[in-house]
Amino acid sequence: MRLFVALPMPEDVQSEVSWLGNDLREGSCVPEEQVHLTLRFLGERPEHELGDLIGALSEIDLAPLELTVKGVGLFPGRGQPRVAWAGVERSEELDALQRSVDRAIERAGVPRERRKFHPHLTVARFNGTRAKTLVPWLQEHSLFGIEPFTVDEFRLYSSVLRPEGAHHRVEESFALGD
């Protein structure tokens, strides 16, 4: 199973981020209903690990989070871009949740992630797009922002890659503040 842990976004946030993607002339926009903030990508995992992962993640006991979306950018920062994103401001609460998710996943037997956590909402994906063609979009939306909003759950998702794009399924939801 291809798995990841993420914060689902409220519908109005999904809509605004999707609008950003519709303004791009390049790439493949993320479907509105799939806009989320990935806390940890686990990759391909054996299905028998699912129960241990759910058990470990269910032990996380933190309060709901207030998030703010601000700015846009590209991954990687140099060379040919693969992803356009809307930034999510870091906070102590968000970092604490992300670290808690990491520790829970490690307890369930999944190796530590080597990449640094960079909170963002993926807007679009690219294949062969030159960075300079995206400069006008970056400039036009550099002040993009969404007022603070609250997220009161995180989820474990599975993802199936298909020619028309990824299909995400919620494997389990975990309330924040219970």
Side-chain angles (χ1 to χ4, degrees), residues 83-103:
V83 169
W85 50 262
V88 175
E89 289 188 340
R90 291 188 86 121
S91 67
E92 287 182 31
E93 296 80 11
L94 177 58
D95 286 343
L97 175 59
Q98 197 279 325
R99 284 190 307 271
S100 294
V101 166
D102 268 351
R103 285 192 298 267

Side-chain angles (χ1 to χ4, degrees), residues 2 5 14-15 23 30 32 40 43-44 54 56 59 65 71-72 79 87-88 92 95 106 126 131 144 153 155 176:
R2 188 171 187 260
V5 178
Q14 290 177 319
S15 178
D23 207 24
V30 171
E32 185 172 323
R40 174 74 189 272
E44 294 289 337
I54 290 170
E59 294 175 10
L65 305 173
V72 294
V88 175
E92 287 182 31
D95 286 343
E106 282 185 62
F126 307 105
F144 176 77
E153 71 174 332
R155 297 175 179 168
L176 293 168

